[in-house]
Amino acid sequence: QVTGPAATVAAFSVTVFLTEQTNKITTADGKVDTVKRKAGEVAWGTPLTHSEENIGNAPFEALMIEIKN
């Protein structure tokens, strides 16, 4: 399990999940959510500050593309 430091994504983004993922995400206001993704899924993201913890059994890979104005 790997926990990343708090990160701020300042732009809208599109993420393509290359492998399966199970993550615990904690937002700046303390809200905790568990997110499961399958390989090949695509997700739209909005700007936010959060930390993530990989709670799955394996590393995961994803490609995140930030949308610039």
Side-chain angles (χ1 to χ4, degrees):
Q1 296 179 348
V2 176
T3 301
T8 299
V9 179
F12 289 94
S13 62
V14 175
T15 302
V16 179
F17 297 90
L18 305 176
T19 58
E20 288 190 9
Q21 167 200 29
T22 304
N23 270 12
K24 181 172 79 172
I25 298 173
T26 305
T27 59
D29 63 1
K31 180 182 173 193
V32 178
D33 197 14
T34 299
V35 178
K36 293 185 178 191
R37 301 286 187 183
K38 294 183 180 181
E41 275 191 58
V42 177
W44 174 254
T46 57
L48 87 143
T49 298
H50 68 291
S51 63
E52 293 188 41
E53 178 183 359
N54 179 1
I55 58 173
N57 294 325
F60 76 90
E61 296 179 330
L63 174 65
M64 186 169 102
I65 303 152
E66 289 189 1
I67 310 299
K68 301 290 182 178
N69 289 337

